[in-house]
Amino acid sequence: MSFTLHGIPVSRGIAIGRAYLIAPASLDVDHYLVAPDEIEAEVARFCAAQDVVHNELETLRVELPADAPGEMGAFLNVHMLILRDAMLAEAAVVLIRTRRYNAEWALTEQLEQLSKHFDEVDDEYLRERKADLEQVVERVLKALAGSPSAASLVANGVAAAEGGARHEMIVVAHDIAPADMMQFKTQTFRGFVTDLGGRTSHTAIVARSLGIPAAVGVQQASALIRQDDLIIVDGDTGIVIVDPAPIILEEYSYRQSEKALEQRKLQRLKFSPTQTVDGTKIDLLANIELPDDAAAALGAGAVGIGLFRTEFLFMGKHESPEEEEQFAAYRKVVTTMQGLPVTIRTIDVGADKPLDHRSAEGFEAATNPALGLRAIRWSLSEPQMFLTQLRAILRASAFGPVKILIPMLAHAQEIDQTLDLIHEAKLQCDDAGLAYDPNVKVGAMIEIPAAALAVQMFLKRLDFLSIGTNDLIQYTLAIDRADNAVAHLYDPLHPAVLGLISHTLKEAQRAGVPVSVCGEMAGDPALTRLLLGMGLTEFSMHPSQLLSVKQEVLRAHRPNLEKPVQDVLAAYEPAELQASLARLAAI
Ligand code: PEP
Ligand code: MG
């Protein structure tokens, strides 16, 4: 039966495909489709891991000290029974064979199914057996980690298996952490739907960076949509249509091909210079999360990297990456960009971007993580970690133009401490004979309202500014950017937000300090005129948005935008604001 769900659109376009439900537990493991000719090898890998665990448990049982409590033996017996239970093992093998899931994915998927049954039973003793089940699965996962699979990724999977009649895959999940989202960069999912999330949650940002349609905050999607359901994701409106009628399917297929045509037309703009009709040169730069993204930035015609979110290098690891590993990552971006500027932001973790190794230390238990020890606050509290990152960035500056960008600054002493540490990192490089650019520029994200209001403090001390509208909106309006329950109140056009952006731009320009916008507002073509009219000349966004924004820039006449934009900034009543925005759009 066909039905429609509504969520928050986060990445434009239309995706049509089969639902791939991903259970929360399975997100902690790799998940990919095994190539058809590797299925039996994957089953064998699973069985071998089972044998390893069986032997482990057997050894434990044999070596139980004579005075061990009686329950210990019984407990090991239960684990051995669970290990071989058809509901777990055989079902997982069926998932490998029929769905082509890798062994880890199949096992955690089955764990999720069985867990639901356990939660439903009344008998407390039986309910407690769920913990045993989880422990057994953990053991098997560990054993699997010791025997990595040679199976190939989705990229060469579905198409080959299903020939011409293939269906694209659309991920449906309750929620996906930003670090897990990174896995999808290498795979060919065609869309995303999640129950939770907001427009600028980091999960949404990564989905947008993949350039594929996505809707978040689609409540109950993962409960209502079933595996393999045919679904349409309209990334422009946030609508998800499940099991569409043929006529609806036809309509969306048509719209999909229209959009593909539009995209192809946009490609023609790639090599034209970016300037407004009146000849103002505009710089369009790229936001990236991983070193490999730099190639797409260059390919889209970005004139540099305006924001490299380095925290993604730190996520999902037990330890912070070593200096050499970081240096290699930063240098790769710098060399890929072939002499174009690369703005490397120091680690910005916390709130909706947790780090694995920190959660182990109880960090994530902060009362209010968005207001807690995140971003530069954490870096300053971990000077050795921070110095390691700064040295790695400085060393990359020997290979091309690099700027250092600091997230979440609000206080003068934070800026001063940061500058002192950068100085110290330079001295350490000198001592070690490591080359770097001594004039490397240092800038601040303006993403806390206090920073925007006290921007003079920043202009005096730093070389450039970059406005992070995602957090600026979150903190100005007190709206959690990742919480779909308040997503309707997350408003980039709130007069207070526009006032802070405009104030920052004006003051920076007056002081002759370069300023850009790197939040998601910069990549929204519907807001390009507004930002141009406020005087912005440097926009940083995901490469997938670059040509749409460029098209708006090429059509804009800056002097004509000034008056309507002044009207927008002076409008405090919603009706007045809407009328001013309509006039701006009609120019
Ligand atoms: C922002 O806050 O606008 C920004 C660009 O940084 P992030 O989205 O990584 O918090
Ligand atoms: Mg931010």
Side-chain angles (χ1 to χ4, degrees):
M1 192 193 61
S2 177
F3 61 94
T4 302
L5 301 169
H6 296 260
I8 303 160
V10 293
S11 185
R12 280 172 307 186
I14 289 168
I16 302 174
R18 295 278 168 196
Y20 259 66
L21 268 95
I22 302 201
S26 78
L27 283 170
D28 295 335
V29 299
D30 280 348
H31 49 276
Y32 48 84
L33 293 186
V34 176
D37 58 353
E38 284 171 351
I39 286 177
E40 288 314 312
E42 191 67 4
V43 171
R45 193 170 79 91
F46 175 70
C47 294
Q50 249 187 324
D51 291 345
V52 168
V53 175
H54 179 88
N55 291 342
E56 268 173 27
L57 293 171
E58 187 60 47
T59 310
L60 283 171
R61 192 164 59 171
V62 170
E63 291 176 0
L64 263 188
D67 57 351
E71 304 90 73
M72 279 298 286
F75 164 82
L76 288 169
N77 285 339
V78 168
H79 280 208
M80 286 173 109
L81 285 174
I82 293 175
L83 179 69
R84 299 288 181 198
D85 194 294
M87 297 278 275
L88 182 69
E90 281 178 24
V93 168
V94 168
L95 285 174
I96 300 174
R97 290 210 169 106
T98 58
R99 295 204 181 282
R100 304 192 3 241
Y101 288 0
N102 61 306
E104 290 87 347
W105 186 358
L107 189 62
T108 47
E109 186 70 35
Q110 194 51 25
L111 168 67
E112 194 75 16
Q113 296 307 325
L114 293 175
S115 296
K116 278 188 202 145
H117 294 308
F118 275 106
D119 290 341
E120 280 160 13
V121 290
D122 282 337
D123 185 312
E124 194 178 333
Y125 173 79
L126 277 181
R127 252 201 331 267
E128 281 171 7
R129 299 286 65 76
K130 183 175 149 185
D132 292 311
L133 176 67
E134 285 167 351
Q135 285 162 17
V136 171
V137 167
E138 291 241 323
R139 277 187 184 275
V140 182
L141 287 174
K142 259 195 209 131
L144 282 168
S147 66
S149 147
S152 47
L153 299 181
V154 177
N156 53 21
V158 183
E162 296 173 9
R166 74 183 170 124
H167 284 290
E168 309 288 10
M169 294 186 299
I170 296 176
V171 171
V172 178
H174 181 61
D175 192 17
I176 306 176
D180 295 318
M181 202 69 194
M182 300 313 280
Q183 290 188 34
F184 297 120
K185 287 217 171 202
T186 52
Q187 306 188 4
T188 58
F189 291 110
R190 287 289 176 251
F192 288 90
V193 177
T194 58
D195 298 349
L196 302 183
R199 222 188 119 61
T200 62
S201 60
H202 286 91
T203 303
I205 289 175
V206 178
R208 205 151 33 240
S209 79
L210 299 174
I212 55 178
V216 302
V218 187
Q219 289 175 34
Q220 299 285 328
S222 68
L224 297 172
I225 299 174
R226 286 163 314 172
Q227 193 72 260
D228 288 333
D229 272 351
L230 182 63
I231 56 177
I232 298 173
V233 180
D234 182 339
D236 297 348
T237 60
I239 288 175
V240 178
I241 305 171
V242 184
D243 198 8
I247 184 145
I248 302 285
L249 195 58
E250 207 173 298
E251 165 68 18
Y252 273 93
S253 301
Y254 173 72
R255 282 174 53 186
Q256 200 179 30
S257 51
E258 289 283 285
K259 279 181 175 291
L261 187 67
E262 261 171 50
Q263 281 304 317
R264 277 201 297 278
K265 280 192 194 154
L266 276 179
Q267 295 300 318
R268 294 188 205 143
L269 304 179
K270 214 151 93 181
F271 300 106
S272 56
T274 310
Q275 57 181 37
T276 54
V277 174
D278 55 293
T280 312
K281 183 174 159 294
I282 303 296
D283 288 332
L284 301 184
L285 299 107
N287 293 355
I288 62 168
E289 276 84 36
L290 290 176
D292 285 344
D293 300 341
L298 202 62
V303 294
I305 301 295
L307 171 64
F308 177 6
R309 290 183 164 96
T310 60
E311 52 274 13
F312 285 89
L313 298 174
F314 291 67
M315 285 179 188
K317 299 212 161 90
H318 293 297
E319 300 284 337
S320 289
E322 301 282 340
E323 180 175 331
E324 289 309 314
E325 185 183 339
Q326 290 190 54
F327 167 52
Y330 306 147
R331 187 186 50 194
K332 180 170 183 188
V333 176
V334 173
T335 51
T336 304
M337 292 310 290
Q338 304 168 8
L340 294 169
V342 175
T343 310
I344 304 179
R345 184 174 72 182
T346 59
I347 183 166
D348 178 4
V349 283
D352 74 329
K353 286 184 286 191
L355 286 186
D356 269 10
H357 57 280
R358 284 199 315 137
S359 53
E361 293 157 21
F363 248 100
E364 303 311 325
T367 320
N368 192 339
L371 302 181
L373 195 68
R374 57 168 292 200
I376 188 62
R377 303 167 183 184
W378 183 60
S379 295
L380 292 176
S381 75
E382 295 276 341
Q384 291 316 318
M385 178 288 302
F386 194 35
L387 281 167
T388 303
Q389 179 171 41
L390 290 172
R391 283 193 307 274
I393 299 175
L394 284 168
R395 289 170 61 189
S397 73
F399 294 81
V402 165
K403 299 185 201 175
I404 303 178
L405 180 59
I406 312 295
M408 290 277 295
L409 285 166
H411 300 269
Q413 74 269 23
E414 286 174 321
I415 310 177
D416 294 340
Q417 278 176 41
T418 303
L419 293 173
D420 286 348
L421 281 168
I422 293 174
H423 181 67
E424 192 174 329
K426 286 182 178 174
L427 294 180
Q428 290 176 349
C429 287
D430 290 339
D431 286 348
L434 298 166
Y436 64 92
D437 170 9
N439 298 315
V440 69
K441 300 269 185 276
V442 182
M445 297 280 295
I446 300 296
E447 53 184 344
I448 298 180
L453 291 168
V455 69
Q456 299 300 342
M457 190 159 88
F458 290 75
L459 295 169
K460 237 173 82 180
R461 292 173 164 82
L462 294 154
D463 302 311
F464 69 97
L465 303 180
S466 188
I467 305 176
T469 53
N470 307 336
D471 277 316
L472 189 62
I473 298 167
Q474 153 162 281
Y475 293 120
T476 304
L477 302 179
I479 295 300
D480 184 338
R481 60 194 267 192
D483 185 350
N484 53 299
V486 286
H488 59 294
L489 298 172
Y490 185 94
D491 181 10
L493 296 172
H494 189 290
V497 173
L498 296 182
L500 290 172
I501 297 173
S502 165
H503 172 71
T504 306
L505 290 174
K506 256 201 219 126
E507 293 302 315
Q509 280 153 7
R510 207 195 315 262
V513 172
V515 56
S516 65
V517 171
C518 65
E520 296 298 295
M521 282 178 79
D524 184 347
L527 300 177
T528 307
R529 285 171 177 221
L530 181 61
L531 293 172
L532 284 171
M534 285 186 190
L536 184 71
T537 56
E538 203 177 298
F539 297 63
S540 192
M541 69 204 74
H542 277 294
S544 58
Q545 272 109 273
L546 208 130
L547 292 176
S548 307
V549 170
K550 186 169 184 175
Q551 178 165 261
E552 285 300 315
V553 171
L554 296 175
R555 291 172 177 166
H557 186 275
R558 278 231 306 177
N560 289 353
L561 296 177
E562 274 164 25
K563 168 77 175 78
V565 167
Q566 285 316 313
D567 291 347
V568 170
L569 292 174
Y572 284 91
E573 284 302 319
E576 211 188 321
L577 180 67
Q578 285 312 321
S580 317
L581 286 168
R583 279 199 298 280
L584 181 63
I587 286 178

